[in-house]
Amino acid sequence: MTTKTALITGITGQDGSLLAHYLISQGYKIIAPTRKNPDKSNLKKLAVENSEQITFLTYKKWSDFEEIISHYKPSEIYHLAAMSHVGQSHENPALVFDVNCIWTLALLKFTQEHSPHSKFFFASSCEIYRNDFDRAVTEGDEKRPNNPYGISKLSAHQMVDYYRDVKGLFACNGILFNHESELRHPSFVSKKICVNVARLVKNGGEPLTLGNIEAKKDWGYAPDYVKIFHTILQQPQSQNYNISTNKLHSVKDMVNAAFSALNYKISWQGTGINTQGINSDGLVVVSINEKYFRPLDNRFLCGDNTKIQTVGQNINQVPFHQWVKSMTLYEYNSLI
Ligand code: GDP
């Protein structure tokens, strides 16, 4: 057990809640600045919303973090809060840049000035990479984002590098590939698939309608990933790491895994936008709608995870089929 204190931004999100849950189990005290009236439903699902180890604080503007950091001088700072939806980032690039980059810069500056011994973790993203590699990308590979989300994350990532390499802060980028869990927001395809497959198997109804089901992602399980955030800050040197599985699975693979988790047979007919998933009664349970396609999708980006394996943490503790099953059963059991 430790006597350390960790500041987490974004504690109410998927990763923030899972990280808080993990750090509490390790004995940490947690400082959790949030906006007024935060939605604590994720923390509640993990039964830590009333933990005495968490100190919730309300902030109004980013400059409030100057006082928070100088007062608490946390041992570790995990900056996870962000506008996190790639598809939606095309609609408001200025806001996305402000939240994802300028806020990160403010936190780095306050840390440097008031708590230079704090270790800083930034949730960077695989969206920073060039998207046309035909092999798994490594941390040193070329960065060339093609959406406002990726651009904002890359600028923040480079600020983290600057504060480490030039200003001497212990600051690390965890370059996060897609990572899912029962706490995922419904706008992400994993949650959408598991919620709708559970509903179709239990109650039937309208088909699950998706966009490009041939899109492939390097998908991991978020509860495994947050432990790695912590491990990265325990290393002797501050560095950047891909947090990825080095395996690709398609959206279609995820649909198949979700149905098979509930022992429900489907077959596929047609091609392209005419693809349909059919159940054993001949009913359409999956269909395609072009409105869910993305203009520029990082369809086949895969992360080489050789470097993160050297820190001794098993990145793929729960394999793809197992966590998709766990997410689907969670949705199925929550239906009345
Ligand atoms: P993202 O990669 O962070 O944007 O995570 P998402 O879970 O939103 O999307 C993962 C992949 O699923 C992307 O390649 C999408 O194009 C693809 N996809 C296919 N159908 C859908 C859908 O109906 N909704 C979403 N959100 N993504 C879809």
Side-chain angles (χ1 to χ4, degrees):
M1 284 292 162
T2 181
T3 52
K4 288 183 187 170
T5 303
L7 185 152
I8 302 177
T9 70
I11 195 168
T12 58
Q14 168 185 268
D15 293 1
S17 302
L18 290 167
L19 179 65
H21 180 256
Y22 177 65
L23 293 181
I24 285 169
S25 76
Q26 302 299 303
Y28 276 73
K29 287 199 171 56
I30 292 169
I31 311 301
T34 66
R35 297 275 187 193
K36 212 170 145 195
N37 302 323
D39 172 3
K40 294 187 184 167
S41 52
N42 282 336
L43 293 164
K44 206 167 173 182
K45 285 176 192 159
L46 299 167
V48 292
E49 84 279 19
N50 295 320
S51 167
E52 287 178 358
Q53 285 168 253
I54 307 181
T55 303
F56 287 99
L57 306 169
T58 304
Y59 75 92
K60 289 197 179 120
K61 45 195 185 330
W62 299 336
S63 54
D64 296 346
F65 279 84
E66 181 158 22
E67 203 190 317
I68 296 170
I69 290 173
S70 76
H71 179 78
Y72 288 97
K73 301 197 185 335
S75 331
E76 295 166 14
I77 297 176
Y78 296 88
H79 181 36
L80 312 182
M83 298 197 69
S84 65
H85 211 281
V86 176
Q88 290 162 9
S89 76
H90 292 279
E91 278 139 47
N92 201 340
L95 182 63
V96 172
F97 196 83
D98 212 28
V99 174
N100 291 1
C101 181
I102 306 299
W103 185 9
T104 309
L105 176 55
L107 291 175
L108 286 163
K109 182 172 177 288
F110 300 148
T111 305
Q112 165 76 26
E113 286 173 2
H114 302 292
S115 185
H117 298 297
S118 297
K119 295 180 173 184
F120 193 99
F121 176 90
F122 175 62
S124 181
S125 163
C126 64
E127 290 288 332
I128 65 176
Y129 286 114
R130 222 179 77 195
N131 78 342
D132 55 356
F133 283 101
D134 55 6
R135 55 168 174 79
V137 291
T138 62
E139 291 80 357
D141 274 326
E142 190 188 343
K143 319 289 186 299
R144 198 199 307 150
N146 65 11
N147 56 67
Y149 172 82
I151 293 165
S152 67
K153 282 284 182 176
L154 177 56
S155 301
H157 174 116
Q158 290 172 328
M159 284 296 175
V160 171
D161 287 347
Y162 165 71
Y163 270 86
R164 178 187 57 235
D165 299 339
V166 179
K167 301 263 192 179
L169 214 60
F170 192 108
C172 307
N173 286 298
I175 307 170
L176 287 160
F177 286 65
N178 292 46
H179 51 293
E180 315 298 310
S181 78
E182 291 76 1
L183 305 184
R184 207 40 153 159
H185 189 271
S187 58
F188 288 84
V189 80
S190 59
K191 186 76 167 179
K192 181 174 173 182
I193 290 171
C194 297
V195 165
N196 283 287
V197 165
R199 187 233 341 135
L200 280 156
V201 173
K202 193 138 195 169
N203 301 322
E206 293 297 307
L208 159 64
T209 308
L210 293 166
N212 181 9
I213 57 169
E214 305 302 336
K216 288 186 175 175
K217 291 277 168 182
D218 181 330
W219 263 304
Y221 192 44
D224 288 345
Y225 282 23
V226 297
K227 291 182 195 158
I228 290 168
F229 302 176
H230 174 252
T231 306
I232 285 174
L233 292 193
Q234 313 315 310
Q235 299 310 300
Q237 273 154 11
S238 50
Q239 295 187 38
N240 300 338
Y241 298 88
N242 276 348
I243 307 182
S244 56
T245 67
N246 204 358
K247 291 193 179 69
L248 286 175
H249 290 280
S250 67
V251 174
K252 195 173 176 181
D253 292 338
M254 194 181 278
V255 174
N256 285 329
F259 276 115
S260 98
L262 298 174
N263 297 317
Y264 190 92
K265 290 215 167 350
I266 67 158
S267 56
W268 295 96
Q269 290 181 0
T271 54
I273 59 161
N274 298 315
T275 307
Q276 290 183 321
I278 312 284
N279 73 6
S280 52
D281 296 326
L283 293 171
V284 177
V285 286
V286 186
S287 63
I288 307 297
N289 189 322
E290 273 176 293
K291 79 173 175 188
Y292 296 117
F293 277 71
R294 304 252 176 95
L296 288 164
D297 209 359
N298 283 351
R299 286 190 195 94
F300 304 108
L301 191 70
C302 183
D304 185 313
N305 60 9
T306 311
K307 187 174 177 187
I308 193 69
Q309 305 285 9
T310 64
V311 306
Q313 186 97 29
N314 183 359
I315 197 142
N316 212 4
Q317 240 161 334
V318 185
F320 179 79
H321 284 83
Q322 202 175 316
W323 61 255
V324 175
K325 181 173 183 173
S326 163
M327 282 179 67
T328 311
L329 289 176
Y330 177 84
E331 298 305 332
Y332 189 81
N333 292 331
S334 67
L335 290 172
I336 307 151

